[in-house]
Amino acid sequence: MNAANDTLNTRALSCLGFSVVLTALVQVGVVSFFGALTNEQPTSAGEAKPTRHEIQQLIIDRAQANDWFGFCVALDKQWALIGCPLQGNGNHPATGAGYLYHRSDRGGWYEVATLAPQFASRDSLFGWSVALDSKHALIGTCANTTEAANCPTAYLFQEDERGNWHECEKLLIEDSVAQEVFDVSVAMDSDTALIGRVWRDVEEDRSCGAAYLFQENSQGEWQQIAKFSADVDEASNFGNFGTAVALSGQRALIGAPTEDTTANGSGGAYIMQEESRGVWRQVARLCAQDAAGGDSFGICVALDGDTAVVGACGSDSAGCNSGAAYVFRFRGHRKWVQVAKITASDAAAWDCFGCAVAIDGEIVVVGSPGNNDGAGAAYVFQLDQNAGVKQIAKYTPNEGTAQARFARSIALSSKTLLAGAPWADATVEKSGAAYLFRLPD
C-alpha cells in the first residue's frame, strides 16, 4: 500500500508540474502534496474558447525566482490573500510569506500588508495554505517538526483599529509529536478555523492524517475543540486524510485523496457536522460513483451550505489525468447524494482538471493547471436544483506564460474569481502571479 501511494504521489506531482522541485521539498520534510453525473452524463465535449473578463494581475515587485507566489489563494468579498511559500528572507530560504490585498472603491486591488510570523525560520514554507475571513487571515506552514514538537501549524492575523494587520495567535496542535509534515491545509468560517495535517509517523514509518478544529472563545482566545479522523483506517493512516479542508457553518469537509477503500488510490472525502454545541461527528463519506484507482478524489474540496464539490485530478475520464470534479447535495437525514460529475468541454490528458475547486451559491469553478501544456485554465459552471450543470466560461490570463500552472489555486466570492499561477514568469522565472476575474451576471 505504501508503494502504491508513493507511485500516486509522484504521479500527481508530475501532473501538477512540480516534480522538478521534489528533491528540495523532501529536504524540508515535504515529500508529497496534491498535492456524479449531469442527468447521468458528463458535460459535453468540444472546443472551449477562453472568456476575457480579467480585472487585474497581481504580482510582487521584489519577487525572486521560484517564489511560487499564487501557490494558494483566498478571497472574501473585498479582501484577497495570496500565499508565497518559497520566498526567502535574507539567508533563510523558503521562509514564505502571505500577501494581503484590498479592493478600492474604484474596483482596483492594492497590497495592504505582507504577513509573516514574528520569528520566521528557514524552510518553514509559511504560506503553503491560506484562508480568509473579514476579520482574520489564517496562514498555514509546512515546517518540518522532526526536531521540534508543538511547532505552530498555522498563524492567525487580524486588523487593529488603525488598519494594521498583525499576528494575533499561533495555532498549536495539542497532540503534535516529532513528525515530517507533508501537507497542511486551512479553512475559516467566522470564529471557526479548520486545519488539515498530513505527516509521516517517524517511529512507525507510515503516513498519517487528521484535521483539527479551533474556535474563538468569548475572551478572544482560540482553542482546539476537536480532532477529526476518518472512520476508515486506510484514510487516516495511508489516505492522506486532511490534504484538503473546507468549512461552511456547522459542517466541515475533509479530503483523503490516496484512500484505498474503493480502489487503489481512488480517494474519499468526509463530512463532519456539529450536532450539538461543541460536539462534532462524521455524518457521511463521499466517493465517486465511477471511482477508479489513482483518481485522487479528495485532492481539493469546497463546501457551501448543502452543496459539496470534490476534485479528482487523477481521473482518466478523457485521458490520463484529464481530471474531473463531483457535486454532492444534502438530501436530509445525513444523506449526501452525488448529483453531477463535471468535466471540461475540451478535456485532454494531463489537464489535471479538478486540482482546485470553489463554490459560491450555484456557481462552481474548477481549476485545470495542466491545460494547454501547463499554461492552465479555470472553468466556470452553473448548477441548478434539477441536478443539471452547464459550463458557462473558461478563463485564462490576458498575458499568460507557458507552464505557469494557472488555476492551480482558486477562490470565489461575490462574482469575483481569484486564481493563482505559481509558475508564471511574471517578474522573474517562476516568481508567480495571481489574477482577478469578474464573472458574468
Side-chain angles (χ1 to χ4, degrees), residues 40-391:
E40 304 304 319
Q41 295 295 329
T43 51
S44 60
E47 183 67 21
K49 296 182 179 179
T51 305
R52 304 298 187 190
H53 291 288
E54 182 183 318
I55 299 173
Q56 191 173 341
Q57 179 198 54
L58 302 178
I59 58 175
I60 47 178
D61 295 334
R62 51 195 176 279
Q64 298 179 359
N66 298 307
D67 271 355
W68 287 13
F69 176 81
F71 182 77
C72 55
V73 298
L75 189 64
D76 184 46
K77 299 181 178 64
Q78 73 272 28
W79 293 97
L81 179 60
I82 302 172
C84 188
L86 291 190
Q87 179 176 296
N89 181 8
N91 294 325
H92 301 294
T95 54
Y99 289 84
L100 189 66
Y101 294 81
H102 189 263
R103 185 177 59 205
S104 69
D105 293 338
R106 295 185 178 182
W109 293 76
Y110 62 95
E111 184 182 330
V112 172
T114 301
L115 307 180
Q118 291 180 346
F119 303 101
S121 60
R122 62 179 294 147
D123 301 330
S124 63
L125 298 177
F126 178 85
W128 188 261
S129 53
V130 296
L132 190 59
D133 181 82
S134 57
K135 299 186 299 180
H136 296 96
L138 177 62
I139 303 179
T141 176
C142 223
N144 187 344
T145 60
T146 53
E147 297 179 357
N150 297 316
C151 179
T153 301
Y155 294 78
L156 269 169
F157 297 79
Q158 68 179 13
E159 185 181 19
D160 62 25
E161 62 278 1
R162 297 182 178 180
N164 299 316
W165 286 76
H166 59 89
E167 180 186 320
C168 64
E169 195 90 27
K170 300 180 182 69
L171 300 187
L172 301 172
I173 304 302
E174 290 181 356
D175 59 356
S176 176
V177 295
Q179 298 161 344
E180 289 183 1
V181 180
F182 296 169
D183 203 357
V184 171
S185 56
V186 296
M188 279 203 79
D189 189 2
S190 187
D191 61 351
T192 304
L194 180 63
I195 301 174
R197 201 163 187 254
V198 180
W199 68 89
R200 184 177 73 86
D201 188 300
V202 177
E203 294 182 357
E204 298 188 19
D205 192 24
R206 61 186 174 94
S207 62
C208 303
Y212 304 83
L213 194 71
F214 292 79
Q215 281 190 336
E216 185 180 21
N217 61 26
S218 57
Q219 286 76 43
E221 300 170 337
W222 289 77
Q223 298 177 328
Q224 180 181 320
I225 64 168
K227 175 185 176 181
F228 299 139
S229 57
D231 61 358
V232 178
D233 287 342
E234 286 79 3
S236 295
N237 292 332
F238 300 101
N240 286 354
F241 179 89
T243 293
V245 296
L247 269 176
S248 181
Q250 295 174 310
R251 292 191 180 115
L253 177 59
I254 304 167
T258 62
E259 180 185 308
D260 296 337
T261 304
T262 305
N264 187 19
S266 58
Y270 295 80
I271 298 281
M272 310 290 179
Q273 184 166 320
E274 187 178 25
E275 297 195 332
S276 60
R277 184 168 179 80
V279 178
W280 291 69
R281 291 189 176 90
Q282 178 182 318
V283 295
R285 176 184 177 271
L286 309 182
C287 61
Q289 292 176 357
D290 59 348
D295 277 357
S296 295
F297 177 94
I299 188 69
C300 58
V301 297
L303 186 63
D304 188 4
D306 291 343
T307 306
V309 184
V310 182
C313 66
S315 172
D316 298 334
S317 299
C320 185
N321 287 357
S322 55
Y326 296 81
V327 181
F328 297 81
R329 299 274 199 185
F330 177 63
R331 298 305 192 203
H333 304 291
R334 296 188 177 184
K335 186 177 182 181
W336 288 78
V337 178
Q338 178 182 313
V339 297
K341 175 182 179 179
I342 302 175
T343 58
S345 60
D346 57 349
W350 298 102
D351 275 357
C352 289
F353 178 94
C355 172
V357 294
I359 182 172
D360 189 8
E362 297 300 296
I363 298 295
V364 171
V365 181
V366 183
S368 181
N371 181 261
N372 191 22
D373 294 326
Y379 295 80
V380 184
F381 299 86
Q382 175 75 54
L383 305 177
D384 65 45
Q385 292 298 325
N386 296 321
V389 57
K390 178 182 178 182
Q391 181 178 315

